[in-house]
Amino acid sequence: MDQESITQAEFERIGRFIYGFQRHADPEQLRAAAAAGALAPNVAERAAALVRRYDEALDALQRNTVDGMPDAVSDDELQAILADAAAFVQASGWTHGENPVR
């Protein structure tokens, strides 16, 4: 992403979303754990869906911000993803670097 092509406010919005998600779970760790079969099947499915939503939102934010449409992903949608990340962590027992019990 070319940081010169977006405003400071847009850059901070993307940063807050990334930080907010990673406060709950590192998407790279979730991807790796799900791919390695290290999670119970239902937890792996939920983790994969959550990371997919995160990736899609982040891609849309970056693409649309550069294209001059920073609000293409609503704040409500971002907050819903963050709330789902928090709920996933609580329900699964996921912590950074540690997998829930299978």
Side-chain angles (χ1 to χ4, degrees), residues 7-80:
T7 67
Q8 184 66 28
E10 293 161 345
F11 183 75
E12 289 174 2
R13 181 175 182 241
I14 294 168
R16 282 190 306 271
F17 175 65
I18 293 168
Y19 172 78
F21 191 93
Q22 290 190 2
R23 224 180 22 186
H24 300 293
D26 180 336
E28 295 304 320
Q29 288 180 354
L30 284 176
R31 272 188 209 92
L39 303 174
N42 62 330
V43 175
E45 288 174 22
R46 190 169 175 192
L50 182 60
V51 171
R52 188 171 35 257
R53 287 177 61 208
Y54 168 82
D55 288 340
E56 289 169 356
L58 190 56
D59 287 345
L61 281 169
Q62 291 173 336
R63 182 181 57 254
N64 293 325
T65 297
V66 170
D67 291 341
M69 303 175 351
D71 295 331
V73 180
S74 72
D75 287 335
D76 288 343
E77 185 176 349
L78 297 179
Q79 290 304 314

